[in-house]
Amino acid sequence: MQQPSPPWWNKPKPLTRNNDMSPSQQELDALASLEERITRAVELVMTLRTEKADLEAQRDAAIQELDELRSERKQVRTRIEKLLGQMDLLSGT
């Protein structure tokens, strides 16, 4: 003997949006969906371009700082070599 199905199984399924819409309404809905996706894509591209510009500026600043540090290191090395040369002169006499 088959058991009766619970009442919540017998509820009618809700109509989908496409079943109760005319073809022109479906096209408009599809167009609106496409428009929304394109708008989100444009916003994402704009955001990514801004982030790229910021990262390029950070990279350029880091390169400049690195060049300055290399120049400073070269100056320090030259001064130390000069001081060591003077110490050699003092210890040689």
mmCIF file of all heavy atoms in Angstrom, residues 31-65:
data_model
loop_
_atom_site.group_PDB
_atom_site.id
_atom_site.type_symbol
_atom_site.label_atom_id
_atom_site.label_comp_id
_atom_site.label_asym_id
_atom_site.label_seq_id
_atom_site.Cartn_x
_atom_site.Cartn_y
_atom_site.Cartn_z
ATOM 1 N N LEU A 31 18.008 41.381 -22.388
ATOM 2 C CA LEU A 31 18.760 42.589 -22.694
ATOM 3 C C LEU A 31 19.150 43.320 -21.414
ATOM 4 O O LEU A 31 20.282 43.793 -21.273
ATOM 5 C CB LEU A 31 17.950 43.503 -23.613
ATOM 6 C CG LEU A 31 18.654 44.762 -24.104
ATOM 7 C CD1 LEU A 31 19.906 44.401 -24.879
ATOM 8 C CD2 LEU A 31 17.707 45.580 -24.966
ATOM 9 N N ALA A 32 18.240 43.393 -20.478
ATOM 10 C CA ALA A 32 18.533 44.045 -19.196
ATOM 11 C C ALA A 32 19.623 43.288 -18.452
ATOM 12 O O ALA A 32 20.521 43.894 -17.863
ATOM 13 C CB ALA A 32 17.273 44.131 -18.342
ATOM 14 N N SER A 33 19.554 41.971 -18.503
ATOM 15 C CA SER A 33 20.579 41.152 -17.853
ATOM 16 C C SER A 33 21.934 41.380 -18.511
ATOM 17 O O SER A 33 22.951 41.519 -17.834
ATOM 18 C CB SER A 33 20.186 39.674 -17.939
ATOM 19 O OG SER A 33 21.217 38.866 -17.449
ATOM 20 N N LEU A 34 21.956 41.420 -19.834
ATOM 21 C CA LEU A 34 23.198 41.663 -20.560
ATOM 22 C C LEU A 34 23.740 43.049 -20.230
ATOM 23 O O LEU A 34 24.946 43.221 -20.007
ATOM 24 C CB LEU A 34 22.959 41.521 -22.064
ATOM 25 C CG LEU A 34 24.142 41.813 -22.973
ATOM 26 C CD1 LEU A 34 25.281 40.840 -22.677
ATOM 27 C CD2 LEU A 34 23.727 41.723 -24.431
ATOM 28 N N GLU A 35 22.847 44.025 -20.182
ATOM 29 C CA GLU A 35 23.261 45.390 -19.855
ATOM 30 C C GLU A 35 23.885 45.448 -18.461
ATOM 31 O O GLU A 35 24.908 46.093 -18.255
ATOM 32 C CB GLU A 35 22.054 46.326 -19.930
ATOM 33 C CG GLU A 35 22.393 47.779 -19.649
ATOM 34 C CD GLU A 35 21.179 48.686 -19.733
ATOM 35 O OE1 GLU A 35 20.041 48.166 -19.781
ATOM 36 O OE2 GLU A 35 21.369 49.909 -19.744
ATOM 37 N N GLU A 36 23.287 44.751 -17.525
ATOM 38 C CA GLU A 36 23.817 44.722 -16.158
ATOM 39 C C GLU A 36 25.202 44.079 -16.127
ATOM 40 O O GLU A 36 26.118 44.579 -15.474
ATOM 41 C CB GLU A 36 22.858 43.958 -15.250
ATOM 42 C CG GLU A 36 23.317 43.893 -13.804
ATOM 43 C CD GLU A 36 22.353 43.101 -12.931
ATOM 44 O OE1 GLU A 36 21.147 43.080 -13.246
ATOM 45 O OE2 GLU A 36 22.825 42.514 -11.947
ATOM 46 N N ARG A 37 25.363 42.980 -16.853
ATOM 47 C CA ARG A 37 26.669 42.304 -16.877
ATOM 48 C C ARG A 37 27.728 43.177 -17.543
ATOM 49 O O ARG A 37 28.869 43.238 -17.091
ATOM 50 C CB ARG A 37 26.556 40.961 -17.592
ATOM 51 C CG ARG A 37 25.761 39.946 -16.799
ATOM 52 C CD ARG A 37 25.829 38.563 -17.377
ATOM 53 N NE ARG A 37 25.855 38.549 -18.834
ATOM 54 C CZ ARG A 37 25.256 37.666 -19.596
ATOM 55 N NH1 ARG A 37 24.559 36.702 -19.051
ATOM 56 N NH2 ARG A 37 25.346 37.726 -20.911
ATOM 57 N N ILE A 38 27.349 43.882 -18.608
ATOM 58 C CA ILE A 38 28.298 44.779 -19.277
ATOM 59 C C ILE A 38 28.680 45.925 -18.353
ATOM 60 O O ILE A 38 29.860 46.301 -18.259
ATOM 61 C CB ILE A 38 27.712 45.299 -20.604
ATOM 62 C CG1 ILE A 38 27.661 44.155 -21.620
ATOM 63 C CG2 ILE A 38 28.521 46.465 -21.150
ATOM 64 C CD1 ILE A 38 26.927 44.500 -22.904
ATOM 65 N N THR A 39 27.700 46.478 -17.647
ATOM 66 C CA THR A 39 27.977 47.566 -16.708
ATOM 67 C C THR A 39 28.948 47.106 -15.625
ATOM 68 O O THR A 39 29.902 47.816 -15.293
ATOM 69 C CB THR A 39 26.668 48.076 -16.077
ATOM 70 O OG1 THR A 39 25.797 48.521 -17.118
ATOM 71 C CG2 THR A 39 26.921 49.206 -15.105
ATOM 72 N N ARG A 40 28.718 45.903 -15.083
ATOM 73 C CA ARG A 40 29.641 45.368 -14.064
ATOM 74 C C ARG A 40 31.032 45.156 -14.651
ATOM 75 O O ARG A 40 32.032 45.422 -13.989
ATOM 76 C CB ARG A 40 29.092 44.066 -13.491
ATOM 77 C CG ARG A 40 27.954 44.263 -12.523
ATOM 78 C CD ARG A 40 27.663 43.005 -11.709
ATOM 79 N NE ARG A 40 27.648 41.793 -12.507
ATOM 80 C CZ ARG A 40 26.586 41.035 -12.738
ATOM 81 N NH1 ARG A 40 25.425 41.383 -12.220
ATOM 82 N NH2 ARG A 40 26.659 39.946 -13.467
ATOM 83 N N ALA A 41 31.104 44.676 -15.893
ATOM 84 C CA ALA A 41 32.401 44.455 -16.537
ATOM 85 C C ALA A 41 33.134 45.776 -16.725
ATOM 86 O O ALA A 41 34.353 45.859 -16.481
ATOM 87 C CB ALA A 41 32.218 43.739 -17.871
ATOM 88 N N VAL A 42 32.421 46.814 -17.148
ATOM 89 C CA VAL A 42 33.038 48.136 -17.334
ATOM 90 C C VAL A 42 33.559 48.671 -15.999
ATOM 91 O O VAL A 42 34.674 49.194 -15.914
ATOM 92 C CB VAL A 42 32.039 49.116 -17.983
ATOM 93 C CG1 VAL A 42 32.540 50.550 -17.906
ATOM 94 C CG2 VAL A 42 31.769 48.717 -19.427
ATOM 95 N N GLU A 43 32.755 48.524 -14.950
ATOM 96 C CA GLU A 43 33.187 48.975 -13.623
ATOM 97 C C GLU A 43 34.426 48.212 -13.175
ATOM 98 O O GLU A 43 35.356 48.803 -12.608
ATOM 99 C CB GLU A 43 32.057 48.802 -12.616
ATOM 100 C CG GLU A 43 30.907 49.764 -12.819
ATOM 101 C CD GLU A 43 29.698 49.439 -11.947
ATOM 102 O OE1 GLU A 43 29.700 48.403 -11.249
ATOM 103 O OE2 GLU A 43 28.735 50.233 -11.980
ATOM 104 N N LEU A 44 34.453 46.922 -13.428
ATOM 105 C CA LEU A 44 35.610 46.112 -13.050
ATOM 106 C C LEU A 44 36.846 46.546 -13.819
ATOM 107 O O LEU A 44 37.928 46.680 -13.240
ATOM 108 C CB LEU A 44 35.324 44.627 -13.296
ATOM 109 C CG LEU A 44 36.463 43.657 -12.987
ATOM 110 C CD1 LEU A 44 36.845 43.736 -11.505
ATOM 111 C CD2 LEU A 44 36.060 42.241 -13.362
ATOM 112 N N VAL A 45 36.698 46.801 -15.114
ATOM 113 C CA VAL A 45 37.835 47.255 -15.922
ATOM 114 C C VAL A 45 38.350 48.588 -15.398
ATOM 115 O O VAL A 45 39.568 48.794 -15.279
ATOM 116 C CB VAL A 45 37.444 47.338 -17.414
ATOM 117 C CG1 VAL A 45 38.499 48.086 -18.213
ATOM 118 C CG2 VAL A 45 37.238 45.949 -17.994
ATOM 119 N N MET A 46 37.444 49.495 -15.072
ATOM 120 C CA MET A 46 37.866 50.798 -14.551
ATOM 121 C C MET A 46 38.607 50.639 -13.229
ATOM 122 O O MET A 46 39.637 51.283 -12.992
ATOM 123 C CB MET A 46 36.657 51.720 -14.404
ATOM 124 C CG MET A 46 36.068 52.139 -15.738
ATOM 125 S SD MET A 46 34.512 53.050 -15.616
ATOM 126 C CE MET A 46 34.960 54.418 -14.586
ATOM 127 N N THR A 47 38.095 49.782 -12.361
ATOM 128 C CA THR A 47 38.749 49.528 -11.079
ATOM 129 C C THR A 47 40.133 48.936 -11.290
ATOM 130 O O THR A 47 41.115 49.363 -10.657
ATOM 131 C CB THR A 47 37.899 48.570 -10.218
ATOM 132 O OG1 THR A 47 36.627 49.172 -9.995
ATOM 133 C CG2 THR A 47 38.567 48.273 -8.898
ATOM 134 N N LEU A 48 40.237 47.975 -12.191
ATOM 135 C CA LEU A 48 41.525 47.336 -12.456
ATOM 136 C C LEU A 48 42.522 48.322 -13.057
ATOM 137 O O LEU A 48 43.715 48.278 -12.731
ATOM 138 C CB LEU A 48 41.346 46.124 -13.371
ATOM 139 C CG LEU A 48 40.620 44.941 -12.744
ATOM 140 C CD1 LEU A 48 40.350 43.866 -13.795
ATOM 141 C CD2 LEU A 48 41.411 44.375 -11.584
ATOM 142 N N ARG A 49 42.054 49.212 -13.916
ATOM 143 C CA ARG A 49 42.955 50.224 -14.491
ATOM 144 C C ARG A 49 43.475 51.171 -13.405
ATOM 145 O O ARG A 49 44.650 51.543 -13.408
ATOM 146 C CB ARG A 49 42.232 51.015 -15.578
ATOM 147 C CG ARG A 49 42.087 50.243 -16.858
ATOM 148 C CD ARG A 49 41.409 51.059 -17.933
ATOM 149 N NE ARG A 49 41.318 50.299 -19.166
ATOM 150 C CZ ARG A 49 40.572 50.644 -20.202
ATOM 151 N NH1 ARG A 49 39.841 51.750 -20.156
ATOM 152 N NH2 ARG A 49 40.548 49.902 -21.284
ATOM 153 N N THR A 50 42.594 51.543 -12.488
ATOM 154 C CA THR A 50 43.020 52.414 -11.390
ATOM 155 C C THR A 50 44.044 51.705 -10.520
ATOM 156 O O THR A 50 45.078 52.294 -10.159
ATOM 157 C CB THR A 50 41.796 52.826 -10.540
ATOM 158 O OG1 THR A 50 40.862 53.498 -11.373
ATOM 159 C CG2 THR A 50 42.195 53.721 -9.394
ATOM 160 N N GLU A 51 43.778 50.440 -10.194
ATOM 161 C CA GLU A 51 44.722 49.671 -9.392
ATOM 162 C C GLU A 51 46.057 49.514 -10.119
ATOM 163 O O GLU A 51 47.118 49.595 -9.504
ATOM 164 C CB GLU A 51 44.148 48.296 -9.060
ATOM 165 C CG GLU A 51 43.015 48.341 -8.059
ATOM 166 C CD GLU A 51 42.394 46.975 -7.804
ATOM 167 O OE1 GLU A 51 42.920 45.958 -8.308
ATOM 168 O OE2 GLU A 51 41.369 46.911 -7.092
ATOM 169 N N LYS A 52 46.003 49.302 -11.429
ATOM 170 C CA LYS A 52 47.227 49.158 -12.212
ATOM 171 C C LYS A 52 48.049 50.443 -12.150
ATOM 172 O O LYS A 52 49.265 50.399 -11.945
ATOM 173 C CB LYS A 52 46.887 48.824 -13.669
ATOM 174 C CG LYS A 52 48.110 48.697 -14.551
ATOM 175 C CD LYS A 52 47.718 48.466 -16.009
ATOM 176 C CE LYS A 52 48.965 48.469 -16.877
ATOM 177 N NZ LYS A 52 48.643 48.559 -18.284
ATOM 178 N N ALA A 53 47.387 51.586 -12.316
ATOM 179 C CA ALA A 53 48.089 52.870 -12.255
ATOM 180 C C ALA A 53 48.719 53.073 -10.880
ATOM 181 O O ALA A 53 49.875 53.532 -10.777
ATOM 182 C CB ALA A 53 47.127 54.014 -12.580
ATOM 183 N N ASP A 54 47.991 52.720 -9.823
ATOM 184 C CA ASP A 54 48.532 52.843 -8.468
ATOM 185 C C ASP A 54 49.753 51.933 -8.285
ATOM 186 O O ASP A 54 50.766 52.349 -7.711
ATOM 187 C CB ASP A 54 47.472 52.486 -7.420
ATOM 188 C CG ASP A 54 46.348 53.511 -7.352
ATOM 189 O OD1 ASP A 54 46.524 54.636 -7.877
ATOM 190 O OD2 ASP A 54 45.294 53.190 -6.775
ATOM 191 N N LEU A 55 49.647 50.705 -8.771
ATOM 192 C CA LEU A 55 50.767 49.770 -8.640
ATOM 193 C C LEU A 55 51.975 50.214 -9.451
ATOM 194 O O LEU A 55 53.126 50.064 -9.005
ATOM 195 C CB LEU A 55 50.339 48.360 -9.059
ATOM 196 C CG LEU A 55 49.363 47.671 -8.115
ATOM 197 C CD1 LEU A 55 48.848 46.377 -8.731
ATOM 198 C CD2 LEU A 55 50.027 47.394 -6.775
ATOM 199 N N GLU A 56 51.738 50.784 -10.627
ATOM 200 C CA GLU A 56 52.850 51.294 -11.428
ATOM 201 C C GLU A 56 53.533 52.458 -10.721
ATOM 202 O O GLU A 56 54.763 52.565 -10.736
ATOM 203 C CB GLU A 56 52.360 51.718 -12.812
ATOM 204 C CG GLU A 56 52.041 50.543 -13.718
ATOM 205 C CD GLU A 56 51.412 50.957 -15.043
ATOM 206 O OE1 GLU A 56 50.939 52.121 -15.160
ATOM 207 O OE2 GLU A 56 51.388 50.109 -15.949
ATOM 208 N N ALA A 57 52.750 53.316 -10.079
ATOM 209 C CA ALA A 57 53.334 54.435 -9.324
ATOM 210 C C ALA A 57 54.154 53.909 -8.149
ATOM 211 O O ALA A 57 55.255 54.407 -7.875
ATOM 212 C CB ALA A 57 52.231 55.373 -8.838
ATOM 213 N N GLN A 58 53.638 52.891 -7.451
ATOM 214 C CA GLN A 58 54.388 52.296 -6.340
ATOM 215 C C GLN A 58 55.679 51.664 -6.844
ATOM 216 O O GLN A 58 56.732 51.775 -6.207
ATOM 217 C CB GLN A 58 53.547 51.240 -5.628
ATOM 218 C CG GLN A 58 52.397 51.802 -4.832
ATOM 219 C CD GLN A 58 51.536 50.709 -4.215
ATOM 220 O OE1 GLN A 58 51.882 49.538 -4.220
ATOM 221 N NE2 GLN A 58 50.388 51.102 -3.684
ATOM 222 N N ARG A 59 55.595 50.975 -8.003
ATOM 223 C CA ARG A 59 56.786 50.357 -8.580
ATOM 224 C C ARG A 59 57.830 51.409 -8.931
ATOM 225 O O ARG A 59 59.010 51.264 -8.614
ATOM 226 C CB ARG A 59 56.410 49.575 -9.840
ATOM 227 C CG ARG A 59 57.619 48.894 -10.495
ATOM 228 C CD ARG A 59 57.385 48.545 -11.940
ATOM 229 N NE ARG A 59 57.147 49.786 -12.687
ATOM 230 C CZ ARG A 59 56.482 49.850 -13.822
ATOM 231 N NH1 ARG A 59 55.953 48.776 -14.342
ATOM 232 N NH2 ARG A 59 56.326 50.997 -14.446
ATOM 233 N N ASP A 60 57.387 52.505 -9.559
ATOM 234 C CA ASP A 60 58.316 53.564 -9.931
ATOM 235 C C ASP A 60 58.972 54.178 -8.701
ATOM 236 O O ASP A 60 60.183 54.468 -8.700
ATOM 237 C CB ASP A 60 57.599 54.638 -10.746
ATOM 238 C CG ASP A 60 57.154 54.126 -12.113
ATOM 239 O OD1 ASP A 60 57.657 53.067 -12.553
ATOM 240 O OD2 ASP A 60 56.293 54.784 -12.738
ATOM 241 N N ALA A 61 58.198 54.378 -7.641
ATOM 242 C CA ALA A 61 58.754 54.923 -6.395
ATOM 243 C C ALA A 61 59.760 53.949 -5.789
ATOM 244 O O ALA A 61 60.815 54.366 -5.297
ATOM 245 C CB ALA A 61 57.628 55.216 -5.402
ATOM 246 N N ALA A 62 59.471 52.656 -5.845
ATOM 247 C CA ALA A 62 60.390 51.650 -5.298
ATOM 248 C C ALA A 62 61.683 51.608 -6.108
ATOM 249 O O ALA A 62 62.778 51.481 -5.541
ATOM 250 C CB ALA A 62 59.723 50.278 -5.275
ATOM 251 N N ILE A 63 61.572 51.727 -7.423
ATOM 252 C CA ILE A 63 62.767 51.739 -8.275
ATOM 253 C C ILE A 63 63.622 52.960 -7.960
ATOM 254 O O ILE A 63 64.852 52.869 -7.854
ATOM 255 C CB ILE A 63 62.363 51.697 -9.767
ATOM 256 C CG1 ILE A 63 61.817 50.321 -10.121
ATOM 257 C CG2 ILE A 63 63.539 52.055 -10.663
ATOM 258 C CD1 ILE A 63 61.216 50.228 -11.512
ATOM 259 N N GLN A 64 62.974 54.112 -7.796
ATOM 260 C CA GLN A 64 63.711 55.332 -7.463
ATOM 261 C C GLN A 64 64.404 55.190 -6.111
ATOM 262 O O GLN A 64 65.569 55.559 -5.957
ATOM 263 C CB GLN A 64 62.768 56.537 -7.457
ATOM 264 C CG GLN A 64 63.473 57.849 -7.161
ATOM 265 C CD GLN A 64 62.522 59.035 -7.205
ATOM 266 O OE1 GLN A 64 61.342 58.892 -7.505
ATOM 267 N NE2 GLN A 64 63.034 60.206 -6.893
ATOM 268 N N GLU A 65 63.699 54.640 -5.140
ATOM 269 C CA GLU A 65 64.294 54.444 -3.810
ATOM 270 C C GLU A 65 65.474 53.478 -3.892
ATOM 271 O O GLU A 65 66.516 53.699 -3.266
ATOM 272 C CB GLU A 65 63.249 53.909 -2.837
ATOM 273 C CG GLU A 65 63.776 53.733 -1.419
ATOM 274 C CD GLU A 65 62.714 53.192 -0.464
ATOM 275 O OE1 GLU A 65 61.572 52.972 -0.877
ATOM 276 O OE2 GLU A 65 63.072 53.002 0.715
#
